[in-house]
Amino acid sequence: MNRRDVLRGIGAATMGMALPKSGQLLGTAAERGRWRRFEVTTRIAVLKPSGITRIWAPAALDTNTPYQRTLGNAFHSPGGKSRIVEIKPDGLKIVAAEFGEGVRPVLTMVSTVSTRDWSADFSAPARVQKPSAAELKHFLRPTKLLPTDGIVKETALAITHTATTDVGKARAIYEWIVENTYRNAKTRGCGLGNIKFMLESRDFGGKCADLNALYVGLARAAGLPARDVYGIRVAKSQLGYKSLGTSSQDISKAQHCRAEVYLNEYGWVAVDPADVRKVMLEEPPGNRTINDDMVKEARVRLFGAWEMNWMAYNFAHDVVLPGSIGSPLAFLMYPQAETSEGRLDSLDPEAFEYRITAREIS
């Protein structure tokens, strides 16, 4: 099948979608939950140091949002030197630690945050302060793995060609992601987010950093400011989704990327098509169909709402780690480390060890 046939098929599929009406979206601004407070402790150790060893960790998002207030990011690196580096406008704060040869490299960080459930009310325009033109332009830019031209642009225009409003475009892209992608349990970590490869290969499998990056890239290509929000789940779901929460205080493998899209009358709006696919694959008894009642409920909810049993880190792409000799990262959601022998694999427990725990404190 050539590209023209693929795009024709995308357009036809989009036209046939039953998009949710405004009244079907669950939750309004008035129904946002109470603020909950969490303490998240990250302990990172390099098991095989060599020469100067460096460790980096994403700190909790310290940007003003309706869903998270960061109360503090404290850190400690015995025998080493540590500092916090801030990179705007991506809301990125990196705790960077450096250890000399012979020093045991261990970094501990404690983030304290308040979070509350967040939902949009599409029945009436929201009273929100509009971001600056520079901020919105920043979240329209292409990045290394999120280009906005070529097949990404063609696909975005094909998906949204019948939409007449920014809300309609945002919904059409969301529904297309839900309909056409799938969660691949074999994907390492949270995925890479290489959306050009996904579209060219027609391999739409992956995890949150793939599927939600695809949403962000397509939205930007369609002219909608959008951003990935990298973070970690900190508690079990209170909405009945076992797959969308944690099972214990150990959240070392609970990293999760979400997405936001900017809509003129509503401000930044939560979306998470990747979690719809997670519900389909993992919610007991597993392998639910797209017409399953729980899947349909999640599909409606996750265009416009997030349950905030989750802590945000940042919106950043193409991250340059301060002092690193290695290449930039596609994103920073996992702790990172480097020795004189190079960058360590953050998912390799033999050379790199970290434990992240969370507890609710109010």
Side-chain angles (χ1 to χ4, degrees):
M1 182 179 292
N2 62 36
R3 181 181 294 186
R4 182 176 297 175
D5 291 333
V6 169
L7 294 176
R8 186 183 298 118
I10 289 171
T14 305
M15 288 177 64
M17 289 178 186
L19 300 181
K21 298 178 181 178
S22 296
Q24 291 178 289
L25 296 168
L26 303 185
T28 66
E31 295 169 342
R32 289 171 180 166
R34 64 177 178 84
W35 288 98
R36 302 166 66 188
R37 184 174 295 187
F38 294 95
E39 182 182 86
V40 180
T41 302
T42 303
R43 183 184 183 278
I44 308 162
V46 175
L47 304 181
K48 299 178 181 179
S50 174
I52 293 177
T53 297
R54 296 180 175 89
I55 297 175
W56 300 271
L61 179 69
D62 204 11
T63 298
N64 183 35
T65 70
Y67 53 83
Q68 180 170 313
R69 297 172 179 168
T70 296
L71 307 177
N73 287 299
F75 48 93
H76 183 48
S77 54
K81 299 178 181 179
S82 54
R83 60 194 174 110
I84 195 160
V85 178
E86 185 173 8
I87 301 173
K88 294 182 177 180
D90 287 311
L92 176 62
K93 284 192 172 183
I94 306 173
V95 175
E98 182 177 304
F99 303 85
E101 190 167 5
V103 178
R104 184 169 178 252
V106 177
L107 171 66
T108 301
M109 176 177 65
V110 179
S111 297
T112 307
V113 299
S114 290
T115 70
R116 65 174 178 179
D117 292 352
W118 181 40
S119 56
D121 180 0
F122 289 95
S123 65
R127 295 180 180 178
V128 294
Q129 182 176 356
K130 186 173 182 178
S132 68
E135 179 180 345
L136 294 179
K137 182 179 179 181
H138 181 75
F139 293 113
L140 282 167
R141 78 196 191 284
T143 68
K144 183 177 180 180
L145 296 184
L146 274 70
T148 56
D149 58 359
I151 193 171
V152 181
K153 182 77 167 181
E154 293 171 21
T155 306
L157 294 180
I159 292 170
T160 61
H161 78 282
T162 61
T164 58
T165 65
D166 59 355
V167 177
K169 290 180 180 180
R171 284 182 178 168
I173 295 169
Y174 174 86
E175 298 296 337
W176 186 87
I177 299 284
V178 172
E179 289 279 348
N180 289 279
T181 65
Y182 66 95
R183 182 175 175 84
N184 185 347
K186 296 181 180 180
T187 297
R188 198 161 184 259
C190 288
L192 296 175
N194 188 342
I195 67 170
K196 181 180 178 182
F197 170 81
M198 294 174 72
L199 292 171
E200 289 182 340
S201 67
R202 303 288 293 166
D203 181 358
F204 296 143
K207 290 185 180 173
C208 57
D210 299 307
L211 308 191
N212 285 339
L214 186 56
Y215 182 89
V216 170
L218 290 171
R220 290 183 182 184
L224 302 175
R227 59 195 185 192
D228 287 294
V229 192
Y230 297 98
I232 191 165
R233 303 186 203 269
V234 295
K236 65 183 179 181
S237 170
Q238 295 183 333
L239 300 177
Y241 300 102
K242 291 184 178 180
S243 63
L244 303 187
T246 62
S247 58
S248 71
Q249 287 190 334
D250 189 337
I251 61 169
S252 303
K253 297 182 179 180
Q255 290 82 4
H256 179 56
C257 166
R258 288 176 162 177
E260 291 177 281
V261 60
Y262 186 82
L263 305 177
N264 287 324
E265 292 189 340
Y266 307 102
W268 287 106
V269 172
V271 293
D272 196 343
D275 261 358
V276 181
R277 280 289 170 173
K278 185 176 175 68
V279 168
M280 288 181 64
L281 180 66
E282 298 182 7
E283 197 66 33
N287 293 313
R288 292 172 179 258
T289 70
I290 203 163
N291 294 317
D292 175 89
D293 286 344
M294 179 173 278
V295 174
K296 289 192 290 186
E297 178 186 356
R299 183 173 181 170
V300 172
R301 177 178 290 278
L302 289 169
F303 182 85
W306 288 343
E307 181 185 8
M308 282 303 295
N309 57 333
W310 172 86
M311 181 183 78
Y313 286 135
N314 59 75
F315 315 121
H317 289 270
D318 301 337
V319 177
V320 177
L321 296 174
S324 173
I325 60 174
S327 302
L329 300 171
F331 53 82
L332 182 62
M333 185 162 55
Y334 292 89
Q336 302 289 329
E338 188 175 270
T339 72
S340 61
E341 297 180 358
R343 184 81 50 79
L344 302 181
D345 182 349
S346 62
L347 302 178
D348 179 8
E350 292 187 4
F352 189 61
E353 176 182 82
Y354 59 83
R355 185 168 186 259
I356 308 174
T357 59
R359 66 187 185 98
E360 188 165 1
I361 55 178
S362 64

